[in-house]
Amino acid sequence: MGRAYSLDLRERVVAAVAAGESCRSVAAMFKVSVASVVKWSQRFRATGSAAARKVGGRRPYAVQGQRNWLLARLAEKPDITLRALATELSERGIKVSYFAVWHFFEHEGISFKKSLHASEQDRPTSPGDGRSGKSIKGGLILPVWSSSTRPGAKTK
């Protein structure tokens, strides 16, 4: 990644725009993009400085402010889905994605793994349902040889 332009250059660009020059002419004069001139001018008008913002760092989770509500809601209804939680958050005025909710719970050490329900644990098993230990494929493959798959004679 490239480095940020110097503060001196930024201030000269902003001063030229403030003096009445057009953004395009200032961009050509200082050999920077028009978008940079516009962004630096907007930043100067908004904050009083055209300095570059801090690069990197950690951002807080989008739903961190709703931590207590999310944990209470999960305790209240343990089988709630992440999509349902995202929908409930949007109803509360917090627009977040499914991934944002998933990432929050991952950070909290809470997982939503699928498991057998109590009613399914006593159900009789059938071959190939994944719980009996037997493979359904074993019963479907017949030990028949064709001329192209027959093992050849062993040679010494």
Side-chain angles (χ1 to χ4, degrees):
M1 188 170 113
R3 291 180 12 199
Y5 285 109
S6 69
L7 181 58
D8 177 56
L9 174 64
R10 290 166 179 258
E11 288 173 346
R12 286 186 287 147
V13 166
V14 169
V17 171
E21 295 284 332
S22 71
C23 290
R24 289 184 187 275
S25 65
V26 171
M29 184 186 335
F30 290 101
K31 294 183 174 55
V32 295
S33 71
V34 177
S36 294
V37 174
V38 171
K39 284 192 303 185
W40 297 343
S41 299
Q42 288 174 342
R43 186 173 301 144
F44 181 77
R45 285 192 296 271
T47 66
S49 172
R53 292 186 180 158
K54 181 182 162 193
V55 177
R58 295 186 68 138
R59 294 188 317 196
Y61 295 106
V63 293
Q64 189 62 38
Q66 300 296 314
R67 181 182 186 276
N68 293 336
W69 181 84
L70 283 166
L71 295 176
R73 186 70 178 109
L74 186 62
E76 178 185 321
K77 189 172 179 187
D79 61 340
I80 194 166
T81 64
L82 294 178
R83 294 201 191 281
L85 284 171
T87 303
E88 289 182 18
L89 282 168
S90 67
E91 291 169 359
R92 293 173 55 96
I94 296 109
K95 192 93 169 155
V96 293
S97 67
Y98 163 83
F99 179 75
V101 178
W102 175 84
H103 197 252
F104 168 79
F105 282 111
E106 179 193 37
H107 179 73
E108 292 288 323
I110 300 170
S111 66
F112 289 83
K113 295 192 183 294
K114 293 180 181 176
S115 63
L116 290 176
H117 295 284
S119 62
E120 293 177 322
Q121 290 178 355
D122 296 332
R123 191 175 68 191
T125 61
S126 62
D129 69 352
R131 294 184 292 151
S132 64
K134 297 178 184 175
S135 171
I136 194 166
K137 290 182 181 178
L140 296 178
I141 300 174
L142 300 175
V144 177
W145 299 100
S146 70
S147 61
S148 63
T149 60
R150 181 173 294 136
K154 293 185 180 178
T155 59
K156 288 189 176 184

